[in-house]
Amino acid sequence: MSSEQPQLPLILEPDTLAAHLDDPHLLIVDVPLKAESYRDGHVPGACFLDYRQLLAGSGEVPNDVPSPAALSELFSALGLTPETHVVAYDDEGGGWAGRLLWTLELIGHARCSYLNGGIHAWRADGHPLETTPNTPAPSDYQAEYLNPGVQIRREELLERLGSRDLAIWDARSDAEYRGLKGDNRKLGHLPGAVNFDWLEVMDSQRDLRLRDYAELVAELEARGITPDKEIVTHCQSHHRSGLTWLAARALGYDKVRAYPGSWKEWGNRDDTPVEH
């Protein structure tokens, strides 16, 4: 067992993680949509994170970013240290895992990976599971928004609508995008936004891993989402767009941001323009 920090890629295959399970620098976090997924069997050593701890707010926007104090408490409970390499995964193809990695990016914690395909790929590849919960040794982690540019707020989006150097990636379904479905006061999409459903980013034939990178790049470029632009991605609550933010990062797009308020905020205000 090496005492050196693992040099692991952003997108981590199950076989590679399996070879590093004993590494003391690893913190494996299971952040499932359904809590029973963790109880039914998780990656050995993984600890459970309730995805609701990645959200803050109330009323019409219950999905904003937690305060630095709340994130300090959360990541201290998880035992995070500056030397920790976090491996995140979930049970649904990367939404909540992506939101966790985005939150870590926001506080400047760069040592992160996503287990490609999450628990589905881990199981399908025949790797061992455990059902005993793991409780990490707590740390004293002081979180700050060291990388605030990874998020974009409503006010800046309003100012920059129509900018040629901005591409808005709406990760919701086609029906939500076109205003045919939704539970907001206003239905539709941000002016100029393009739609690429998060479900189209994952490969259902390969246990919900990310799709072939060349295919994804071609699909994005066909929609005008190109590396020369700043990319902003969102969904209804910055859950599905956790995956699309992560995918854009994996594809090498440097200027990727997410709008945590997402349509929950935009679609429930009087001062936000909407297209159908």
Side-chain angles (χ1 to χ4, degrees):
M1 184 164 61
S2 171
S3 61
E4 296 182 5
Q5 293 172 5
Q7 300 297 313
L8 299 176
L10 176 63
I11 307 301
L12 188 62
E13 290 300 325
D15 285 352
T16 306
L17 177 58
H20 285 85
L21 286 181
D22 292 333
D23 195 304
H25 294 291
L26 275 196
L27 172 62
I28 306 172
V29 183
D30 186 336
V31 53
L33 179 65
K34 298 176 180 176
E36 57 266 28
S37 170
Y38 181 80
R39 296 194 296 268
D40 290 344
H42 48 265
V43 174
C47 58
F48 171 79
L49 173 60
D50 184 335
Y51 69 81
R52 290 172 294 189
Q53 292 188 268
L54 299 172
L55 308 174
S58 59
E60 291 178 334
V61 193
N63 48 279
D64 208 344
V65 182
S67 68
L71 291 176
S72 296
E73 185 176 339
L74 169 62
F75 290 121
S76 294
L78 286 173
L80 188 66
T81 73
E83 292 75 37
T84 304
H85 189 104
V86 177
V87 176
Y89 73 91
D90 57 39
D91 60 340
E92 43 142 23
W96 287 122
R99 172 87 186 220
L100 170 58
L101 296 183
W102 176 84
T103 304
L104 288 166
E105 180 89 1
L106 177 66
I107 63 171
H109 189 89
R111 295 188 174 98
C112 300
S113 299
Y114 167 59
L115 174 60
N116 200 10
I119 196 64
H120 294 284
W122 182 265
R123 287 175 183 270
D125 285 8
H127 292 296
L129 295 163
E130 70 175 4
T131 54
T132 307
N134 295 292
T135 304
S139 61
D140 181 17
Y141 194 91
Q142 298 302 312
E144 302 174 63
Y145 297 159
L146 295 177
N147 189 15
V150 76
Q151 66 172 325
I152 189 167
R153 310 302 295 183
R154 180 190 77 256
E155 295 84 357
E156 183 182 349
L157 256 181
L158 276 166
E159 288 177 5
R160 295 184 60 194
L161 287 177
S163 299
R164 290 184 177 181
D165 62 348
L166 185 71
I168 303 174
W169 177 354
D170 187 330
R172 297 176 301 159
S173 67
D174 175 68
E176 289 169 281
Y177 175 80
R178 292 193 291 148
L180 305 176
K181 178 183 173 184
D183 61 358
N184 308 276
R185 285 199 281 132
K186 298 190 292 192
L187 303 182
H189 57 264
L190 272 79
V194 296
N195 183 226
F196 188 25
D197 190 326
W198 78 306
L199 295 175
E200 297 295 317
V201 175
M202 58 184 92
D203 189 343
S204 60
Q205 304 301 311
R206 297 180 59 242
D207 308 302
L208 306 187
R209 287 173 169 87
L210 291 173
R211 276 177 55 201
D212 177 82
Y213 285 12
E215 289 180 13
L216 286 175
V217 168
E219 297 236 23
L220 291 171
E221 292 197 344
R223 291 164 169 81
I225 300 175
T226 50
D228 57 311
K229 296 177 182 173
E230 188 170 277
I231 299 165
V232 168
T233 189
H234 78 88
C235 56
Q236 171 76 3
S237 62
H238 189 29
H239 158 221
R240 290 172 280 181
S241 55
L243 175 64
T244 52
W245 172 83
L246 177 63
R249 285 286 314 279
L251 294 171
Y253 292 80
D254 294 327
K255 298 173 285 188
V256 191
R257 305 170 74 183
Y259 170 34
S262 279
W263 200 257
K264 270 278 191 193
E265 178 179 44
W266 197 274
N268 283 314
R269 292 182 62 90
D270 296 327
D271 60 351
T272 46
V274 169
E275 285 181 352
H276 298 95

